[in-house]
Amino acid sequence: MDPVPALEEPLKKVLGPATAKVMAEHLGLHTVGDLLHHYPRRYEERGQLTHLADLPMDEHVTVVAQVADARLHTFASAKAPRGKGQRLEVTITDGSGRLQLVFFGAGVHKPHKELLPGTRALFAGKVSVFNRRLQLAHPAYELLRGDTEETVETWASALIPIYPATAKLESWKIGKALQTVLPSAQEAVDPLPESLRDGRALVPLPEALLKIHRPHTKADIEDARARLKWDEAFVLQVALARRRHADAQLPAVARRPKPDGLLTAFDDRLPFTLTEGQQKVSREIFDDLATEHPMHRLLQGEVGSGKTMVALRAMLAVVDAGGQAAMLAPTEVLAQQHHRSVTEMMGELAEGGMLGGADGATKVVLLTGSMGAAARRHALLDLATGEAGIVIGTHALIEDKVRFHDLGLVVVDEQHRFGVEQRDALRGKGKQPPHLLVMTATPIPRTVAMTVFGDLETSVLDQLPAGRSPIASHVVPAADKPHFLARAWERVREEVANGHQAYVVCPRIGDEEDAPKGTAKKKSPEDEVEKRPPLAVLDIADQLAKGPLKGLRVEVLHGRMQPDDKDAVMRRFAAGEADVLVATTVIEVGVNVPNATAMVIMDADRFGVSQLHQLRGRVGRGSAPGLCLLVTEMPEASAARQRLNAVASTLDGFELSRIDLEQRREGDVLGQAQSGTRSSLRMLAVIDDEEIIAEAREEATRIVAADPDLTRLPALRTALDALLDEEREQYLEKG
């Protein structure tokens, strides 16, 4: 049997079962290679102390500091009634601030002997607040003693790597484990082709791994980071380039619209002219549809920039050319909404085979999981015979029973809810692979598009159609200024009095089981807000109908309602038969009621930046200006409030998505949060490393074009297989 390559050696063999178990469970590290790629988060210099002044609350931190003083107190307690209880309070300092450490009971003896004033140590623990002061209770610590052979200077200037750690495994224990496996770094197989490495003056991989974990100078760290970022960007871009290359080899039927067909008739009916952006993007799509390889295009644009119109024109072009088009929506509410707006926009052109239908008209059918058996049978028959040129549905479209006469185009709405597998399943419904258009309603920065949707060409709509009104957004601090909230409800009444409608959005439905009651402890105001359950649709609707919005027609919409009930509510609201719709985020995308001008988002801090931007896009869709009020109880200085202020200050979705990305970790954006696996990006920051990503994409495209199977680059193939192993398959699935 061949020996196991050094980097694939299980940690259990090298570090022992106990440590290996903690590393696997808490850090997702299983092999020597995994541990070598667990990079330090930052470095401390022994000579320079950390900033205690800006420690984050409730996080595990590692700090290098000096003991300023230590005091042992005795006290009486239930366990030690005779005043025999002991508490050791140690104050540490780093020049920027002071931090209190506390040890209790039997745990005081060792630190009492070791943590004498003047002692330097690494301390690790969870930051909490006691009597308005930051403290670490029972921190783990490691004394920093200068080894005898080390001179004071080398000791003081050595860089101490601080690793992403957990309560069960402190940073320095990870450091010691790395000390054990570091010699194996020499055997790391280098995925970067030599020409690329030399051309960009990048250090070899074994050297980069040594320098990232045991740097002698800051220049070592820079060299290592530059190299490791390239690895991540390049291997990922090669994976995406190979996917693009494989897709480009597939045959497809070219779909060119008839000169005087459906598309022309539709355009002639339009009561407005398309924006320049819509015309340009449509041209890109029509050029793609006319080729004999499947189109793979991402259409992204601002909320309300008219993506649905562009997609509908593409679908009509395909129907003109004798094919069928399918539009996949993430929810039933959205599928029904699209179906309604498409049939309204098409008018008699959507009444193929019916009395009053126009010449050359087609049928537009809806297919969702909860349709009645008869309606479903009818829809399936229309698809199989080709009677229906356009079908709009949820993932019910992917089921085995669904047969198409000639599927030519698949439009996927809200890409981040569909994985590559679902796209492939739907593509398999065509005799030949159909063309694919993916729409995303959340504008994403170019680098994220290149990293997450790298297998798609991108079109951007950045103009709003004429007739869209500006939206004013304001933060309503309900806790600090309760009269602001009262004024918010007055504003809603004013909008309704002027003949308009309003949305009120809540994070929760309200018919869930109550969470178990925790023990009643005194909490800080921020804690109080965090810990109480998010406000719920059913409760708020009730309070509003009886209180500030009494006399208005208040309706409720949420995901657990029966599909027919949801549809009926949406129809009534769209028809103006309800004044206020209290809803969950089911209205987030695609819901279009031009008469709705105001939106109040309760507990707005519980939503992400992109989600708030999406929700806000539901108002201001007509000629009257829109108003969006973000209600929060979060204190002024909190990160949550800063996030809401950012949303209120700009309507530019691309700008907001950058802010969102800077605040969250890339892993969330890259679909890792849902899959539970670690992001493959440990070193690369999608926003900051824009140039590297763009260059890596060019290099990857060039290499894959010359050698699609990477036969001449076996080490790159190995790295690629590691990226795309079972655990990380999710990574390219876009969440």
Side-chain angles (χ1 to χ4, degrees), residues 30-96:
H30 303 276
T31 64
V32 168
D34 288 344
L35 182 53
L36 285 172
H37 288 292
H38 185 71
Y39 308 132
R41 179 177 281 153
R42 57 190 170 82
Y43 300 84
E44 291 293 6
E45 291 179 70
R46 283 178 169 142
Q48 291 178 355
L49 300 177
T50 16
H51 279 283
L52 292 180
D54 35 69
L55 287 179
M57 275 295 296
D58 281 344
E59 274 192 30
H60 278 279
V61 297
T62 302
V63 296
V64 178
Q66 185 164 346
V67 177
D69 69 61
R71 292 175 191 185
L72 191 61
H73 301 275
T74 54
F75 60 91
S77 71
K79 285 186 183 166
R82 295 205 187 105
K84 294 274 176 64
Q86 290 192 309
R87 182 174 79 244
L88 175 67
E89 289 179 1
V90 178
T91 306
I92 56 173
T93 178
D94 66 347
S96 78

Side-chain angles (χ1 to χ4, degrees), residues 210-390:
L210 288 171
K211 283 182 167 174
I212 200 81
H213 293 296
R214 289 290 167 269
H216 293 300
T217 61
K218 288 183 177 164
D220 283 354
I221 301 171
E222 288 313 304
D223 286 353
R225 281 190 171 151
R227 163 61 216 246
L228 295 167
K229 281 181 177 185
W230 250 95
D231 274 21
E232 286 174 12
F234 180 70
V235 175
L236 178 63
Q237 291 299 340
V238 167
L240 293 166
R242 290 188 71 201
R243 197 176 166 88
R244 281 197 304 276
H245 186 270
D247 284 340
Q249 307 311 305
L250 297 170
V253 179
R255 310 278 178 176
R256 295 181 184 86
K258 291 202 290 267
D260 289 316
L262 258 179
L263 181 62
T264 311
F266 176 76
D267 284 349
D268 291 345
R269 289 174 50 102
L270 283 179
F272 52 82
T273 40
L274 297 173
T275 64
E276 267 174 50
Q278 284 174 316
Q279 290 174 14
K280 175 177 151 287
V281 169
S282 287
R283 277 197 299 277
E284 291 171 352
I285 291 170
F286 291 154
D287 289 349
D288 282 359
L289 289 174
T291 63
E292 292 181 355
H293 295 295
M295 162 172 84
H296 287 107
R297 191 165 280 282
L298 172 70
L299 170 58
Q300 63 157 329
E302 271 302 353
V303 177
S305 57
K307 293 182 290 292
T308 313
M309 172 61 71
V310 169
L312 176 55
R313 293 184 74 241
M315 294 198 287
L316 292 172
V318 169
V319 175
D320 261 352
Q324 289 169 295
M327 183 183 231
L328 208 53
T331 64
E332 294 208 350
V333 168
L334 200 52
Q336 287 162 341
Q337 179 83 26
H338 276 318
H339 181 253
R340 210 163 31 243
S341 57
V342 163
T343 46
E344 278 167 15
M345 284 197 275
M346 287 176 63
E348 64 208 27
L349 299 175
E351 295 168 2
M354 296 182 223
L355 224 57
D359 287 347
T362 188
K363 244 190 201 175
V364 180
V365 300
L366 176 69
L367 189 63
T368 63
S370 63
M371 281 168 77
R376 188 177 170 77
R377 243 195 332 272
H378 210 83
L380 289 172
L381 189 66
D382 283 346
L383 286 181
T385 59
E387 186 93 355
I390 294 177

Side-chain angles (χ1 to χ4, degrees), residues 576-635:
E577 291 162 21
D579 301 317
V580 178
L581 185 62
V582 183
T584 54
T585 54
V586 289
I587 62 158
E588 181 182 347
V589 272
V591 171
N592 186 23
V593 180
N595 191 43
T597 52
M599 175 177 285
V600 180
I601 302 178
M602 306 302 291
D603 274 349
D605 46 272
R606 309 272 178 136
F607 298 98
V609 170
S610 305
Q611 209 173 17
L612 290 169
H613 185 57
Q614 269 306 319
L615 286 165
R616 169 171 65 184
R618 303 303 111 218
V619 295
R621 299 179 83 86
S623 53
L627 172 69
C628 178
L629 301 174
L630 307 166
V631 179
T632 178
E633 292 183 7
M634 282 303 199

Side-chain angles (χ1 to χ4, degrees), residues 546-560:
K546 290 177 182 162
L549 302 185
K550 195 172 178 178
L552 302 188
R553 296 167 298 172
V554 176
E555 292 242 18
V556 161
L557 179 71
H558 59 75
R560 274 212 287 277

Side-chain angles (χ1 to χ4, degrees), residues 400-716:
D400 292 346
K401 296 189 195 74
V402 182
R403 296 267 172 278
F404 289 87
H405 177 64
D406 179 15
L407 181 60
L409 170 68
V410 174
V411 179
V412 179
D413 188 13
E414 273 305 277
Q415 157 66 11
H416 60 261
R417 319 229 177 146
F418 283 102
V420 167
E421 274 158 26
Q422 288 115 314
R423 283 180 2 199
D424 287 347
L426 195 54
R427 291 209 294 230
K429 302 271 181 197
K431 291 171 186 156
Q432 282 193 317
H435 299 280
L436 175 72
L437 180 65
V438 171
M439 299 198 294
T440 170
T442 310
I444 46 178
R446 174 172 156 267
T447 42
V448 183
M450 278 175 9
T451 309
V452 184
F453 303 105
D455 55 336
L456 305 170
E457 297 299 323
T458 306
S459 294
V460 176
L461 276 175
D462 46 14
Q463 262 178 313
L464 290 188
R468 289 298 305 248
S469 300
I471 304 170
S473 304
H474 303 285
V475 177
V476 177
D480 315 350
K481 299 179 179 165
H483 59 285
F484 276 37
L485 183 57
R487 176 73 189 117
W489 301 128
E490 279 172 27
R491 284 292 289 114
V492 170
R493 294 193 81 100
E494 286 164 16
E495 290 298 313
V496 173
N498 289 333
H500 298 302
Q501 291 159 283
Y503 297 101
V504 177
V505 182
C506 303
R508 204 165 58 98
I509 296 173
D511 56 0
E512 304 88 343
E513 292 292 304
D514 275 348
K517 299 275 182 283
T519 48
K521 269 203 254 170
K522 189 78 191 85
K523 301 199 173 73
S524 70
E526 188 151 345
D527 263 5
E528 285 295 317
V529 180
E530 270 300 335
K531 300 298 183 285
R532 73 159 166 74
L535 295 172
V537 166
L538 300 176
D539 305 341
I540 292 287
D542 194 42
Q543 288 166 23
L544 291 176
K546 290 177 182 162
L549 302 185
K550 195 172 178 178
L552 302 188
R553 296 167 298 172
V554 176
E555 292 242 18
V556 161
L557 179 71
H558 59 75
R560 274 212 287 277
M561 289 164 61
Q562 288 303 313
D564 292 352
D565 297 344
K566 280 193 271 200
D567 201 36
V569 169
M570 269 322 298
R571 277 178 193 280
R572 284 199 297 275
F573 190 66
E577 291 162 21
D579 301 317
V580 178
L581 185 62
V582 183
T584 54
T585 54
V586 289
I587 62 158
E588 181 182 347
V589 272
V591 171
N592 186 23
V593 180
N595 191 43
T597 52
M599 175 177 285
V600 180
I601 302 178
M602 306 302 291
D603 274 349
D605 46 272
R606 309 272 178 136
F607 298 98
V609 170
S610 305
Q611 209 173 17
L612 290 169
H613 185 57
Q614 269 306 319
L615 286 165
R616 169 171 65 184
R618 303 303 111 218
V619 295
R621 299 179 83 86
S623 53
L627 172 69
C628 178
L629 301 174
L630 307 166
V631 179
T632 178
E633 292 183 7
M634 282 303 199
E636 181 121 29
S638 62
R641 271 285 277 283
Q642 287 161 8
R643 206 169 61 233
L644 296 180
N645 292 340
V647 174
S649 68
T650 177
L651 288 171
D652 180 340
F654 287 93
E655 177 56 33
L656 282 175
S657 64
R658 279 188 92 94
I659 293 170
D660 196 15
L661 197 53
E662 280 159 8
Q663 290 193 341
R664 302 193 298 159
R665 297 191 324 283
E666 268 88 10
D668 303 344
V669 179
L670 303 179
Q672 287 308 317
Q674 297 90 321
S675 70
T677 53
R678 290 165 301 134
S679 161
S680 308
L681 304 191
R682 300 189 183 92
M683 191 58 83
L684 197 69
V686 174
I687 288 286
D688 301 340
D689 297 318
E690 202 153 346
E691 281 175 28
I692 296 179
I693 292 168
E695 288 172 18
R697 180 177 168 129
E698 277 173 35
E699 291 277 7
T701 308
R702 191 175 54 72
I703 281 169
V704 169
D707 180 8
D709 293 329
L710 308 178
T711 35
R712 297 192 290 280
L713 298 166
L716 178 56

